[in-house]
Amino acid sequence: MVPSPTPNPLSRLLIFPAVLIAALMAVVFVLAAFNTDPPITDPDVYWHLTNARHLVTTHHFIRADTDTFTVNGHPWINFEWLSELPYYYAFLHFGERGLFAVMMLLAEAIILGIFLLAWLRSHEIRAALLTTWIAALLATVSLAPRTLLFGWLCLIAELLILWTYKENKNYTWALPPLFFLWINLHGSWLIGFVFLLVFIAANSITVTWGSIATTAWPRPERNKWLLITALTFAALFLNPYGWRLVAYPLDVAFQQKLTLLYVEEWASLDFHLFRGKLMLAVLLGMAALNLIRRRTWLLADLLLASITIYAALTYSRFLFLAAIVLSPLLALDLKDLLGHQAAKPNKPLINAAAIAILIFGVAHLYPTQTRLHAQVAAVFPEAALPAIRALPPNARILNFYDWGGYLTWNIPTRPVFLDGRTDIFVHEGIMKDYASVLNANQVFEILDRYRITHVLFPRGGPFPYLLLHSPQWHLIYEDPQTQLFARQPLP
């Protein structure tokens, strides 16, 4: 009997599921490249670029504000300094295309990570692919050149470490270095640390209650995890700001109420929108599948899922968290429902051709620098920059919130009223006054208090309308999206 030839490693990779994964990556690209709200116009990216420029040019970490005239010199820490550098260097060398490339690399890595988590939990590739498609749609809530993407990538790495431990694969040694990186990348490390504590607590007790079943670790194993947790906590203090950076996420949660009130992504989930309906469908689907299958839940899974659902329903930005945590659990629910799949003959050449077509399509559709810059110019006051540069050196401009970082990046010598950092402006009362002006409340009192000489705002809205009809102010520049006002000279 002649033995069948052993397939080469390349043919093992060129299987049909690889085509589906490549298609998923292409869809994520399309969602970003052709979004009606272009991701490249996220306003936060410009103050992140400004922070990175300061670090690279001065070789000193920011410890006080230097970009505004309202809080100049007030203490401030750059809590995402490490994740700003890749965006900065990409923009420095490749412009908006570089920003888009870094964002896409992070987004694709996250989606692949979610697929890996889903396959790890279910060991069923169809269930993993299906739930990852759903996760990709939920993840569009933060599909932009944001530092937060680094945080979500770290969370995936942590969950891989925690969930593979159940399969006797011990990578717990990687937790301290992971959190050392994480705290310097983004404040979402706190979510990961809470997850770590919940995971340990859930595995420290024996529970047999209905569909919940968990056996406690032996005492030596619990002690080992406590040691790892202590080392991980110690690693958090290996940062340029010490305990202040460790305490920062708590400050956001408990001391920055206006941040949660006025920033859109901190609003509760809107079930009238597509992502809200999709999240509701995921929750109802998981409930229905568990009624049908009545599978056993690990206590850690139940607790982490509960925390995630609460977070996603309370703040829409945590839909991304739901995509990461719930998708693998949904794949586990779908595992038996999909049934056994009969083996099919592999067609590596056809699969390779399909993947090549997808790669060619993405390369062909990759947005040009001209197109990306046009998107930026349509959202930010690019046309108004010459008029702003021509203002007197002592001009004090009350700028639109979303434009603060853009103005500082393009005109670093002219301090702004506020930018998207939010936290320092909340603490110093600037955000409260800005909100009053935005709603045409106590406008002239606030303008006088800050000795505002000019106002730069989008056309329309109650505040610009009030200035247009005030004898104290006159319009000195306008274009289709921007209006620049100047105060009349005092008699």
Side-chain angles (χ1 to χ4, degrees), residues 387-448:
I388 299 168
R389 290 190 178 100
L391 295 177
N394 61 345
R396 295 167 70 92
I397 307 173
L398 174 58
N399 59 278
F400 182 54
Y401 171 81
D402 284 353
W403 293 350
Y406 179 84
L407 293 172
T408 303
W409 171 253
N410 286 283
I411 316 177
T413 57
R414 186 173 295 285
V416 296
F417 183 85
L418 83 173
D419 56 37
R421 288 174 294 168
T422 308
D423 54 354
I424 190 171
F425 305 108
V426 168
H427 284 310
E428 302 301 331
I430 309 300
M431 183 62 78
K432 182 179 179 181
D433 289 338
Y434 175 80
S436 295
V437 166
L438 202 62
N439 295 308
N441 182 27
Q442 297 181 312
V443 169
F444 298 111
E445 176 186 339
I446 293 171
L447 293 176
D448 290 342

Side-chain angles (χ1 to χ4, degrees), residues 213-436:
T214 296
T215 302
W217 289 327
R219 182 177 293 274
E221 194 170 5
R222 292 201 300 270
N223 292 339
K224 181 190 71 174
W225 273 94
L226 291 175
L227 175 61
I228 291 168
T229 303
L231 293 173
T232 300
F233 184 70
L236 295 174
F237 291 85
L238 300 177
N239 69 78
Y241 302 102
W243 68 267
R244 291 176 179 84
L245 193 57
V246 178
Y248 179 80
L250 300 176
D251 180 76
V252 174
F254 300 109
Q255 300 296 327
Q256 298 183 31
K257 299 301 182 183
L258 282 180
T259 301
L260 307 185
L261 182 62
Y262 288 107
V263 179
E264 183 179 354
E265 66 177 7
W266 287 104
S268 298
L269 184 59
D270 188 347
F271 289 104
H272 295 285
L273 301 179
F274 170 75
R275 283 189 290 263
K277 294 176 181 177
L278 180 60
M279 181 65 186
L280 182 60
V282 169
L283 296 179
L284 293 176
M286 291 182 70
L289 287 170
N290 277 274
L291 286 174
I292 296 170
R293 292 191 56 230
R294 294 188 179 275
R295 74 170 176 89
T296 301
W297 278 71
L298 297 173
L299 182 59
D301 286 347
L302 181 62
L303 293 177
L304 295 183
S306 300
I307 294 171
T308 298
I309 292 169
Y310 171 80
L313 297 183
T314 306
Y315 304 114
S316 60
R317 69 178 281 157
F318 289 129
L319 283 176
F320 214 127
L321 178 64
I324 295 170
V325 177
L326 298 185
S327 297
L329 300 180
L330 180 59
L332 193 58
D333 291 331
L334 288 170
K335 176 181 178 180
D336 294 334
L337 190 67
L338 292 175
H340 178 71
Q341 183 182 25
K344 296 180 180 179
N346 190 28
K347 300 177 181 179
L349 292 180
I350 296 176
N351 297 337
I355 293 173
I357 291 171
L358 288 169
I359 294 173
F360 175 80
V362 167
H364 179 70
L365 294 174
Y366 194 93
T368 63
Q369 175 66 20
T370 302
R371 177 187 163 197
L372 291 172
H373 188 78
Q375 292 174 353
V376 172
V379 173
F380 296 99
E382 181 180 63
L385 290 178
I388 299 168
R389 290 190 178 100
L391 295 177
N394 61 345
R396 295 167 70 92
I397 307 173
L398 174 58
N399 59 278
F400 182 54
Y401 171 81
D402 284 353
W403 293 350
Y406 179 84
L407 293 172
T408 303
W409 171 253
N410 286 283
I411 316 177
T413 57
R414 186 173 295 285
V416 296
F417 183 85
L418 83 173
D419 56 37
R421 288 174 294 168
T422 308
D423 54 354
I424 190 171
F425 305 108
V426 168
H427 284 310
E428 302 301 331
I430 309 300
M431 183 62 78
K432 182 179 179 181
D433 289 338
Y434 175 80
S436 295

